[in-house]
Amino acid sequence: GKEENEMWIGGRRIGSQWMWISNSRITPITYEDWERGSPSNNVGVEDCLKLRGVSKFYGWDDDKCSDRHGYICEKRPTGGNYRPQIGK
């Protein structure tokens, strides 16, 4: 089953390159923090990037884009009180 501590973080495999997808921008991922054994591209269909273990950091993992997980979005700060937005 799917764990509640798995969150999409906006990365996707395009061809053989992992890219950040943000609004209308697509940029190559230059920093990586894959968990051991990842990315595995299990059965050739794991093209989206998730964070496993939000409360206890475990690392990145690839998964099917059609799987349902919570998500973490980048939000431009407004004023001096910036807090990351985490949704489900």
Side-chain angles (χ1 to χ4, degrees):
K2 296 296 165 200
E3 297 180 34
E4 294 218 5
N5 63 350
E6 296 178 336
M7 303 288 236
W8 294 124
I9 59 173
R12 184 174 174 106
R13 182 193 335 260
I14 300 176
S16 61
Q17 176 74 43
W18 282 94
M19 309 292 276
W20 289 119
I21 312 294
S22 176
N23 294 326
S24 60
R25 293 187 336 235
I26 299 174
T27 55
I29 292 178
T30 56
Y31 166 84
E32 296 179 342
D33 199 5
W34 296 104
E35 62 182 17
R36 187 175 304 180
S38 292
S40 63
N41 196 21
N42 189 25
V43 196
V45 296
E46 294 185 338
D47 292 326
C48 285
L49 175 60
K50 68 182 178 184
L51 176 65
R52 291 183 61 150
V54 172
S55 61
K56 289 184 176 180
F57 184 75
Y58 298 114
W60 296 0
D61 188 26
D62 54 340
D63 206 349
K64 293 181 295 198
C65 300
S66 61
D67 281 359
R68 296 181 63 117
H69 299 294
Y71 55 89
I72 299 174
C73 294
E74 176 183 14
K75 182 176 180 180
R76 187 176 303 271
T78 56
N81 241 352
Y82 174 67
R83 293 186 181 174
Q85 300 297 309
I86 299 177
K88 222 170 183 173

